[in-house]
Amino acid sequence: MLSARAAAPLAPPKPHTIPNKRAIISRRKLSGELEALVAEHGVGDKLRPALIACLRRALADGREEVRKRFEAGGSGEDCVRENCYLADRLIGSLADFTVLHIFPTANPTSGEVFDISATGGYGRGELAPASDIDLLFLLPYKRTPRVEQVVEYMLYILWDLGLKVGHAVRSVDECIRQSKADVTIRTAILESRYLWGPGQLFADLRKRFDKDVVIGTGPEFVEAKLAERDNRHLKMGDSRYVLEPNLKDGKGGLRDLQTLFWIAKYLYRVEGVDELVGKKVLMPEEAQRFAKAQNFLWTARCHLHYLTGRLEDRMTFDVQTSIGARMGYTDHAGTKGVERFMKHYFLVAKDVGDLTRIFCAALEAESKRPPKFNLLRLATVARRKDVDGFVVDGERLNARDERQFKDKPIDMIRLFHTAQINDIDVHPNALRSITRSLTAIGPKLRADPEANRLFLDILTGMKDPEITLRRMNEAGVMARFIPDFGRVVAQMQYDMYHVFTVDEHTLFALGILHKIAAGELVDELPLSSEVIHKVVSKRALYVAVLLHDIAKGRGGDHSVLGARVAEKLCPRLGLTAEETETVAWLVRWHLAMSHTAFKRDLEDEKTVRDFVALVQSPERLRLLLVLTVADIRAVGPQRWNNWKAALLRELYNRSEEVMSGGMTVEGRGRRIQAAQAALRDELTDFDEAAYEHHKTLGYPAYWLAFDAETLAHHARILRGAERDKRELTVDTRIDRNRAVTEVTIYASDHHGLFSRLAGAFAASGADIVDARIFTMTNGMALDVFSVQDAGAGGAFESGDKLAKLSVMIERVLSGQLKPLQELATRKTSHASRTRVFHVPPRVLIDNAASTTHTVIEVNGRDRPGLLYDLTRALSNLTLQISSAKISTFGEKAIDVFYVKDVFGLKVTHEGKLAKIRERLLHALADPSGEAPPPAPVKRARTKAAEEEEPA
């Protein structure tokens, strides 16, 4: 096994050209000012305040100059180097001043001589505007009183200047000993840089570090750093496509590039990545990609520090627009500037992943990192040197030669197909060769029936398509083979609901679909896991999942535009006319089932009948259910819950019943009788007279709205209230299957009751996710709310919160508490990261969606108390709210109300409808009066933006 190169002394880092350095800081001028302070104040107590003021002024002036250059169009690389230069000169001047004037000695002993070196990012010569400064005070052997005094004095001055300084005081022996034991310290020494002092100690450290630590430990260091990287990725979500990425520690961020630099420096004794070209580790174009990626990330990070005024690495929504504008990304072609900026970021993060893979392949080729073997897979292919025209190289599939893919482009598709069939990895060198051959994928290959057959087999075969398609996407093959898919690669969705980019979301959805088909999600998704085995058009289902979001970002309805893409693409892939029609229909209506389940009253027969009229067949119903479930689950963590599952299941079952002829008028009567008979079986503690009395209390719609167990629960609530003559009953029970708390309120019905209850819930910190509102024949209201914790999500279940909720409802209904006043005292402004989203307020009134009610859909930006404001507006218009569907998608609230006028009829008068729109739009307006932030001032494109932005 080879180890790191043996120990030639490292050459000093190549100087980075900084124009007009003295405009940043002049060491000669600063030294003169410090000398003048000594002449004026001596070295007593009066000197320290004057010294700090002088250094603070020099630091502020230097920072201002660096920032001015950067904001005038400078690159991130320039900015971090200039900040580093400023810190170097300031610390060097302070060190000179301290040893010459504060603790002078004519002839220091060998024990009083020390060096100062920079470590961490500062050691690499990279210092972001708000980053820490790490210093190593290097001693010959043990500490002496004078050295301790000098170090302490310098550190306190630096801290008083507001600098974040980390430090270590060690001898050369201690550095070597601790480097052997701790990879973190070893890394710090590896990238240390001489800063101040005679320099002999630092030279000794570097020489001994190479000889005593580095030699023979290359593979160990590589494995440690890559394991450290993998653990960091897991903590950060293990995806480079999260919509609020961490520029430093996220997957594809600066730390990944730094890891490559550490490994390169440790193994190849280089001072820059460009030197790896001469050592045949990277090709010139790959080293150039490294430099471009690093500069882009540094530029974005420097803007982030300047915008926030602090050490901040997470690029949250509230700063993305500003950073994109500062880097020159503007709106055009129906795409927001921030979306173009983030797309470029994700492509850069992908480049970082490509470079990591290439570099690791080079290490394995030189045996600097042992490949990871899977003995089970190895046993099946070890005897075969050739697999379908490819060679097995170290358990992975590789090209026969460098020209294979250029001479025979179909092999780029066949490679992934073969790897999937044989359950074998693709060799990084093959991926590298594909990257250089992508231009060979053109119209001829796209029209090749065999190439399309191979791709369709990858997508719809027995093996999980997610892994293979993800590899194809990373290699750039997906974008070239299906150009429409290439348009959504790294395409972000600028909202707080979607967690991943469009391509990443699509690949996740395909993986979930495969798990459903394989029976791996039976416990979580029982209905979909059952239904998928009844599906006949499985190929159409997989293709529909691939294409369902393919037209996002084109400026129109992506469902309509996507259906057109499907009509053209499916025949090319080899689907029949029938399958093509099915795919196009699924893409066109892939949101229909969730829209109906989450925004319409499923107790209204017309809702179900309209949905069935759209779907038409049981096969389409099954296809749409599975597609909907996979789509929602792939949006991101916590976007799927039991509540959504219950609504989709209810819609599916009711639709199936209609298709089988079960929802006729006679059928409805039979279902009511069946519900009441099931209730009678549950009410074993009711005699016949009590049961018959309870039957008279509910109107027909009530009996079909709940299962028998819930109806029995209500019956006992009503009996107890009548027996005790209670005017108000509040009952809560936790439904963990739906991740909600069901709050049942039985009270005297009166106008505005729902609005006041909504205010009580809002003031208690509860979000209403569904409401079923009934007026009983005795004039009492039986309202059933499903609520979740507004802060933590999930069921609203802690004992103190439930008790507080009951008290709040009682006080609001008794008039002791006004919800509007309570919300005004409690309401805090949304975090700035949500304020950047502008959701256009919209009010849609539909008199055709229900036979008995006017359906009002309201869209706007969510905020605490919004539902109360909306329902109060409806109550003030003398409208009766019969039921409500409450949904929140990230920052967007979509609430649907089924209402009647004061006479119990639909609202049809145009003047009244106009007034409803006007009042609801007013309620949607943010009472804080804060408008969404204006777009930042546009400026010239920066170097980082110009270098590699996609068309």
Side-chain angles (χ1 to χ4, degrees):
M1 187 182 295
L2 298 177
S3 62
R5 302 285 195 274
L10 286 174
K14 295 178 180 178
H16 182 82
T17 304
I18 298 176
N20 194 12
K21 295 179 180 179
R22 290 182 180 176
I24 298 173
I25 186 170
S26 169
R27 189 165 180 178
R28 180 180 301 175
K29 178 185 175 185
L30 180 58
S31 296
E33 292 175 353
L34 297 181
E35 292 289 342
L37 291 179
V38 174
E40 180 180 354
H41 300 289
V43 294
D45 293 341
K46 293 182 180 180
L47 175 62
R48 184 182 178 86
L51 172 65
I52 292 173
C54 179
L55 293 175
R56 183 174 286 140
R57 186 167 56 252
L59 179 62
D61 291 346
R63 283 175 165 173
E64 182 59 31
E65 175 65 21
V66 173
R67 181 169 184 168
K68 185 173 68 175
R69 294 181 183 191
F70 177 66
E71 293 185 341
S75 69
E77 184 180 9
D78 291 336
C79 185
V80 298
R81 300 294 182 190
E82 289 164 359
N83 275 311
C84 188
Y85 175 78
L86 171 62
D88 285 356
R89 294 300 180 265
L90 190 78
I91 292 169
S93 297
L94 175 59
D96 285 339
F97 180 82
T98 305
V99 299
L100 289 174
H101 295 292
I102 307 301
F103 301 104
T105 179
N107 295 301
T109 66
S110 60
E112 293 177 325
V113 174
F114 66 97
D115 285 344
I116 304 175
S117 68
T119 60
Y122 183 39
R124 291 190 303 274
E126 301 167 349
L127 191 62
S131 288
D132 298 349
I133 292 174
D134 294 314
L135 298 175
L136 170 62
F137 292 88
L138 197 57
L139 312 181
Y141 38 90
K142 64 179 181 178
R143 302 187 189 190
T144 64
R146 179 175 180 269
V147 170
E148 287 188 344
Q149 288 175 318
V150 171
V151 171
E152 183 178 307
Y153 185 86
M154 287 186 63
L155 288 174
Y156 276 106
I157 293 293
L158 293 173
W159 290 331
D160 285 343
L161 293 176
L163 294 171
K164 295 181 285 291
V165 181
H167 72 284
V169 184
R170 299 191 184 106
S171 67
V172 174
D173 286 341
E174 287 174 323
C175 289
I176 298 301
R177 185 172 63 253
Q178 293 186 30
S179 292
K180 291 179 178 179
D182 190 323
V183 172
T184 301
I185 295 176
R186 191 185 309 183
T187 306
I189 301 299
L190 174 70
E191 58 184 357
S192 61
R193 176 174 58 90
Y194 168 77
L195 194 59
W196 179 92
Q200 185 59 48
L201 290 170
F202 183 76
D204 290 346
L205 173 65
R206 297 311 299 265
K207 185 176 180 180
R208 287 190 56 189
F209 181 75
D210 287 340
K211 179 182 176 183
D212 299 342
V213 178
V214 174
I215 292 178
T217 61
E220 169 202 327
F221 182 79
V222 172
E223 289 303 308
K225 298 315 290 185
L226 293 179
E228 184 182 277
R229 179 204 62 182
D230 293 343
N231 290 333
R232 174 168 40 81
H233 288 171
L234 285 174
K235 290 179 182 177
M236 303 303 296
D238 203 26
S239 172
R240 63 177 61 96
Y241 300 110
V242 293
L243 298 188
E244 291 187 304
N246 188 300
L247 288 170
K248 180 182 176 184
D249 291 324
K251 193 170 186 177
L254 280 164
R255 187 64 85 197
D256 283 0
L257 289 177
Q258 289 158 7
T259 298
L260 297 186
F261 170 76
W262 292 330
I263 293 172
K265 189 168 185 177
Y266 201 93
L267 295 178
Y268 298 100
R269 314 313 292 140
V270 297
E271 286 300 320
V273 173
D274 55 332
E275 296 177 40
L276 293 175
V277 175
K279 296 183 180 293
K280 309 298 184 185
V281 178
L282 295 180
M283 296 178 180
E285 60 266 30
E286 291 162 351
Q288 187 179 33
R289 286 168 69 193
F290 186 104
K292 285 183 175 181
Q294 181 171 255
N295 186 45
F296 178 91
L297 293 171
W298 269 123
T299 302
R301 191 177 186 223
C302 290
H303 278 303
L304 180 58
H305 283 198
Y306 282 133
L307 273 171
T308 59
R310 65 179 184 272
L311 177 61
E312 178 59 71
D313 293 314
R314 189 179 176 209
M315 197 157 57
T316 51
F317 289 121
D318 55 309
V319 296
Q320 289 174 6
T321 300
S322 297
I323 293 175
R326 286 169 176 238
M327 291 179 67
Y329 294 85
T330 56
D331 298 353
H332 69 68
T335 306
K336 296 176 182 177
V338 64
E339 293 175 347
R340 295 177 60 233
F341 162 61
M342 291 304 296
K343 181 166 187 172
H344 192 186
Y345 165 80
F346 291 124
L347 292 173
V348 166
K350 178 181 173 294
D351 270 350
V352 174
D354 293 343
L355 290 166
T356 301
R357 187 177 62 245
I358 290 166
F359 190 68
C360 289
L363 297 184
E364 290 182 14
E366 289 195 47
S367 301
K368 293 177 182 293
R369 184 191 184 214
K372 296 181 179 179
F373 291 101
N374 182 311
L375 294 178
L376 291 177
R377 276 188 290 163
L378 185 60
T380 64
V381 297
R383 300 182 187 88
R384 300 170 61 190
K385 293 295 183 182
D386 184 282
V387 181
D388 295 337
F390 304 100
V391 297
V392 178
D393 182 355
E395 195 206 353
R396 290 176 294 194
L397 212 57
N398 204 350
R400 292 190 310 272
D401 55 63
E402 290 187 0
R403 290 209 52 85
Q404 179 174 359
F405 298 128
K406 289 183 179 179
D407 294 341
K408 197 175 181 183
I410 194 174
D411 279 358
M412 283 185 266
I413 310 295
R414 195 187 309 281
L415 173 75
F416 294 102
H417 182 267
T418 303
Q420 184 190 47
I421 293 299
N422 291 278
D423 195 21
I424 184 172
D425 288 341
V426 177
H427 198 283
N429 283 344
L431 296 174
R432 190 181 201 177
S433 181
I434 284 175
T435 301
R436 305 184 74 193
S437 308
L438 284 174
T439 53
I441 301 178
K444 184 178 178 181
L445 183 65
R446 295 182 197 118
D448 187 324
E450 177 62 10
N452 284 284
R453 184 195 70 78
L454 290 170
F455 178 80
L456 191 62
D457 199 39
I458 290 170
L459 176 64
T460 64
M462 295 299 293
K463 298 291 181 72
D464 185 356
E466 180 186 359
I467 297 171
T468 304
L469 293 178
R470 190 177 298 283
R471 288 173 179 164
M472 294 177 72
N473 193 37
E474 291 282 341
V477 174
M478 284 283 288
R480 294 287 300 185
F481 191 65
I482 304 179
D484 285 298
F485 189 85
R487 294 179 65 170
V488 297
V489 170
Q491 175 70 45
M492 77 171 294
Q493 302 172 77
Y494 193 61
D495 57 45
M496 290 190 68
Y497 179 66
H498 295 91
V499 177
F500 303 109
T501 54
V502 177
D503 58 324
E504 188 80 350
H505 160 74
T506 301
L507 296 176
F508 276 134
L510 285 166
I512 291 165
L513 177 60
H514 173 77
K515 288 182 175 68
I516 294 173
E520 296 176 25
L521 299 175
V522 173
D523 292 337
E524 298 173 55
L525 306 172
L527 181 59
S528 297
S529 299
E530 174 191 341
V531 160
I532 197 168
H533 296 296
K534 300 177 182 178
V535 164
V536 177
S537 313
K538 285 190 178 178
R539 291 204 314 177
L541 176 59
Y542 276 87
V543 175
V545 173
L546 175 68
L547 303 183
H548 76 282
D549 278 347
I550 201 162
K552 278 199 168 179
R554 300 193 184 189
D557 185 333
H558 77 281
S559 300
V560 175
L561 298 175
R564 294 174 189 164
V565 172
E567 288 168 353
K568 293 180 180 179
L569 181 61
C570 290
R572 193 200 102 183
L573 293 177
L575 268 63
T576 65
E578 180 185 356
E579 287 174 318
T580 298
E581 181 188 8
T582 300
V583 172
W585 184 89
L586 285 170
V587 173
R588 170 64 184 88
W589 298 107
H590 73 274
L591 297 175
M593 193 166 195
S594 58
H595 179 277
T596 304
F598 304 156
K599 299 182 185 179
R600 292 294 180 261
D601 185 359
L602 300 183
E603 299 305 321
D604 190 320
E605 287 188 21
K606 191 171 188 305
T607 296
V608 180
R609 291 189 181 282
D610 287 348
F611 177 71
V612 169
L614 171 68
V615 176
Q616 297 183 345
S617 76
E619 172 73 358
R620 280 185 174 179
L621 178 63
R622 290 189 283 266
L623 290 167
L624 193 56
L625 172 72
V626 178
L627 170 56
T628 301
V629 170
D631 185 18
I632 296 174
R633 278 187 61 102
V635 168
Q638 300 178 343
R639 296 297 184 261
W640 174 263
N641 55 39
N642 289 325
W643 173 239
K644 291 178 180 177
L647 291 173
L648 289 171
R649 183 166 55 248
E650 184 176 359
L651 177 57
Y652 178 87
N653 290 333
R654 286 176 180 266
S655 300
E656 197 174 45
E657 188 178 337
V658 170
M659 289 177 181
S660 63
M663 275 187 74
T664 59
V665 174
E666 295 80 6
R668 186 169 189 256
R670 285 196 299 271
R671 288 197 300 129
I672 292 173
Q673 290 175 3
Q676 291 174 339
L679 171 63
R680 185 69 189 96
D681 292 339
E682 290 281 338
L683 294 177
T684 56
D685 52 333
F686 275 53
D687 59 28
E688 197 60 31
Y691 168 70
E692 289 297 330
H693 168 69
H694 180 71
K695 271 177 54 177
T696 65
L697 296 178
Y699 289 106
Y702 169 73
W703 302 111
L704 298 178
F706 303 97
D707 58 28
E709 190 271 334
T710 303
L711 289 173
H713 182 64
H714 292 169
R716 296 184 179 99
I717 290 173
L718 269 59
R719 182 178 65 175
E722 289 182 353
R723 182 188 61 227
D724 301 337
K725 296 183 170 51
R726 291 196 303 269
E727 295 184 1
L728 171 66
T729 300
V730 179
D731 177 83
T732 60
R733 60 177 185 169
I734 298 164
D735 186 342
R736 289 190 171 82
N737 287 330
R738 295 189 299 159
V740 298
T741 297
E742 186 180 89
V743 182
T744 303
I745 300 171
Y746 186 59
S748 298
D749 195 15
H750 57 78
H751 183 67
L753 175 64
F754 181 54
S755 175
R756 295 169 77 181
L757 290 172
F761 283 116
S764 302
D767 272 344
I768 300 173
V769 297
D770 187 66
R772 302 187 187 193
I773 305 162
F774 299 94
T775 300
M776 311 305 281
T777 59
N778 61 359
M780 297 289 283
L782 180 65
D783 295 345
V784 182
F785 295 89
S786 296
V787 302
Q788 293 182 322
D789 192 312
F796 194 80
E797 57 182 322
S798 70
D800 58 334
K801 287 185 177 181
L802 292 174
K804 178 181 176 183
L805 175 61
S806 297
V807 171
M808 189 72 72
I809 291 171
E810 186 172 349
R811 292 183 65 198
V812 166
L813 294 187
S814 66
Q816 299 175 36
L817 185 70
K818 302 295 184 185
L820 194 61
Q821 296 173 0
E822 182 70 15
L823 284 169
T825 60
R826 292 167 178 262
K827 199 176 298 182
T828 57
S829 63
H830 269 2
S832 61
R833 61 189 289 265
T834 68
R835 284 211 169 277
V836 297
F837 300 106
H838 176 59
V839 180
R842 188 169 66 160
V843 177
L844 304 173
I845 302 177
D846 188 348
N847 267 317
S850 170
T851 54
T852 56
H853 291 79
T854 295
V855 180
I856 303 174
E857 180 177 325
V858 181
N859 300 348
R861 194 165 71 82
D862 193 28
R863 55 177 165 78
L866 174 62
L867 182 59
Y868 170 62
D869 291 338
L870 294 172
T871 53
R872 190 162 58 95
L874 293 173
S875 295
N876 290 341
L877 288 165
T878 65
L879 296 175
Q880 305 174 45
I881 302 173
S882 299
S883 66
K885 287 282 185 178
I886 315 300
S887 304
T888 305
F889 300 90
E891 75 287 353
K892 187 175 185 178
I894 301 179
D895 298 339
V896 179
F897 305 97
Y898 281 68
V899 303
K900 295 180 179 180
D901 65 15
V902 70
F903 302 108
L905 304 172
K906 285 186 179 183
V907 183
T908 56
H909 190 275
E910 285 300 325
K912 184 75 168 181
L913 294 173
K915 187 168 287 188
I916 291 171
R917 288 191 186 92
E918 178 188 346
R919 295 283 182 87
L920 289 176
L921 286 171
H922 179 74
L924 284 169
D926 195 330
S928 69
E930 292 187 38
V937 178
K938 297 172 184 175
R939 68 170 198 165
R941 295 289 293 276
T942 65
K943 294 177 186 175
E946 289 171 350
E947 279 173 344
E948 201 177 297
E949 193 215 345

